[in-house]
Amino acid sequence: MTILNDQRVIAIEEHYYDETVVEHYTGIDRSTGGFVRGALFEVGEKRIQSLDEAGIDVQVLSHGAPSTQRLDAATGIPLAKAANDRLREVCDAYPDRLMGFAQLPTADPVAAADELSRSVNELGFKGAMIHGLIGDQRLFPDNEMFWPIFARAQELGVPIYLHPANIHPAVAKAYLNDYASEYPGLMNAGWGFTMETATIGIRMVLSRVFERYPDLQIVLGHLGETLPFLMWRIDLALNRPGNDGVAFRDVFTSNFHITTSGFFSDPAMLCCIQEMGADRILFAIDYPFVPNEPGPMWMERLMLNATDKDKILHGNAEKLLGI
Ligand code: GRE
Ligand code: ZN
């Protein structure tokens, strides 16, 4: 760890694939991770070597999208449990380098909440990640049926990371498909993921789940999926006459944390610091969809005081995840 003055660096949106989970992927989900498939399955010495070279101390591992979000309860419950057990073994091989976010069998929200408890209390995981829309019906995670998961996250004091997955097929068809063969990235990190995950973030606020669970903390990657940039305008529109009114900014800056995953831009980061404050921004790479090396180098160069860099690189993660 030669860069960043030996600063501890914790990266919190770092993906891997579990073979048994990926066997259940269908359609477009089967091919999404294709360009980095080998690296997703590699959770041993090569990964650690890449961390060493980049100056990253800890990866908090999460499964690649869509995890068990598309599966029915009968399939998803045992699969998520077994995969979480295997993730524990992966982390045990490098206990100071690898930590975990659970995957949850969202088809049965109570079972998912119970698996979150088991993952935190017995497996030592730091929270859970949920990917995109849920089930064949593509339900949004703000749907009250999923609130048992959020209730449990609050009770356990762990965050839920809301990560993108391949978007609703009807939306893809209406908005993006005609450019998809020339620009497959438009469907994912180039716009589709952002569009859908920002929608999920806004809907979480509108659902008033944070009135029921005021200590619930949600994490959004990719510098908050555009929402810090848009917060002012969203607040304006949702509080115009004819709207119920919602303190969007207050909720977003109290119940959300954002990460730097796959988004190493100075002006975008400065906007986030100005809108959210440095206490709510956590370092992440989005490995292996994004290579490790440029992330810490970007943080080292960023025109920001050392105290705030400390918080972003590790302090905020230690606090939020109880590391
Ligand atoms: C991601 O997890 O951020 C991701 C994918 C698939 C393609 C690109 C990408 O899951 O950034
Ligand atoms: Zn990711």
Side-chain angles (χ1 to χ4, degrees):
M1 317 292 143
T2 52
I3 60 171
L4 293 159
N5 299 325
D6 288 334
Q7 186 65 259
R8 190 183 196 195
V9 177
I10 302 175
I12 78 155
E13 188 189 314
E14 317 310 321
H15 302 298
Y16 78 103
Y17 267 176
D18 178 289
E19 253 170 76
T20 317
V21 173
V22 171
E23 273 168 21
H24 288 79
Y25 285 4
T26 58
I28 188 179
D29 294 335
R30 286 188 74 81
S31 55
T32 310
F35 67 111
V36 286
R37 204 174 166 80
L40 281 162
F41 282 118
E42 202 286 314
V43 286
E45 212 39 55
K46 273 194 186 154
R47 184 175 283 251
I48 301 299
Q49 196 186 328
S50 170
L51 296 183
D52 289 341
E53 284 165 11
I56 297 168
D57 296 271
V58 177
Q59 273 193 338
V60 182
L61 293 171
S62 47
H63 201 277
S67 190
T68 41
Q69 264 61 86
R70 310 281 198 228
L71 303 177
D72 62 29
T75 316
I77 295 171
L79 194 62
K81 284 185 178 176
N84 287 330
D85 287 343
R86 283 189 291 273
L87 178 58
R88 180 66 262 163
E89 288 172 25
V90 164
C91 296
D92 280 344
Y94 304 94
D96 358 308
R97 310 301 298 278
L98 301 179
M99 302 180 184
F101 280 130
Q103 53 180 307
L104 302 179
T106 38
D108 180 339
V110 173
D114 290 343
E115 180 57 10
L116 178 60
S117 295
R118 190 185 78 93
S119 295
V120 172
N121 293 332
E122 293 173 34
L123 304 179
F125 291 166
K126 307 304 176 190
M129 183 175 279
I130 295 175
H131 301 260
L133 305 183
I134 297 168
D136 285 342
Q137 293 179 77
R138 309 274 166 165
L139 299 175
F140 278 89
D142 58 273
N143 189 308
E144 207 160 342
M145 110 176 228
F146 300 113
W147 288 19
I149 299 169
F150 300 126
R152 197 68 61 88
Q154 169 173 282
E155 193 183 310
L156 294 163
V158 296
I160 301 291
Y161 203 128
L162 296 179
H163 184 272
N166 285 312
I167 65 171
H168 195 301
V171 173
K173 184 163 183 280
Y175 276 59
L176 304 175
N177 272 2
D178 50 337
Y179 281 107
S181 60
E182 293 157 276
Y183 297 103
L186 185 68
M187 301 290 270
N188 50 65
W191 188 232
F193 280 7
T194 313
M195 186 165 81
E196 189 167 272
T197 316
T199 306
I200 290 171
I202 294 168
R203 291 180 55 108
M204 285 292 290
V205 177
L206 298 183
S207 76
R208 305 199 184 261
V209 68
F210 304 106
E211 287 177 13
R212 184 89 62 87
Y213 309 111
D215 296 329
L216 172 64
Q217 293 297 324
I218 297 298
V219 183
L220 293 178
H222 318 111
L223 289 179
E225 311 285 2
T226 71
L227 294 177
F229 183 86
L230 296 173
M231 200 152 47
W232 195 96
R233 182 161 166 77
I234 293 169
D235 235 2
L236 174 81
L238 299 184
N239 291 292
R240 279 185 174 134
N243 290 267
D244 271 2
V246 58
F248 187 85
R249 167 185 296 280
D250 291 349
V251 176
F252 197 75
T253 57
S254 304
N255 294 96
F256 287 76
H257 288 73
I258 65 173
T259 80
T260 64
S261 57
F263 201 162
F264 307 145
S265 153
D266 292 26
M269 178 68 145
L270 292 179
C271 169
C272 290
I273 293 168
Q274 289 178 321
E275 289 288 12
M276 304 289 290
D279 292 339
R280 292 198 166 264
I281 305 173
L282 289 77
F283 184 71
I285 298 283
D286 208 353
Y287 182 85
F289 297 101
V290 174
N292 283 323
E293 290 72 19
M297 279 160 56
W298 167 64
M299 279 299 296
E300 181 164 59
R301 253 197 26 250
L302 188 71
M303 294 273 259
L304 184 66
N305 66 80
T307 308
D308 286 346
K309 282 191 189 182
D310 274 12
K311 289 179 177 178
I312 292 166
L313 287 166
H314 65 99
N316 294 339
E318 286 159 356
K319 206 155 125 191
L320 181 67
L321 307 180
I323 295 174

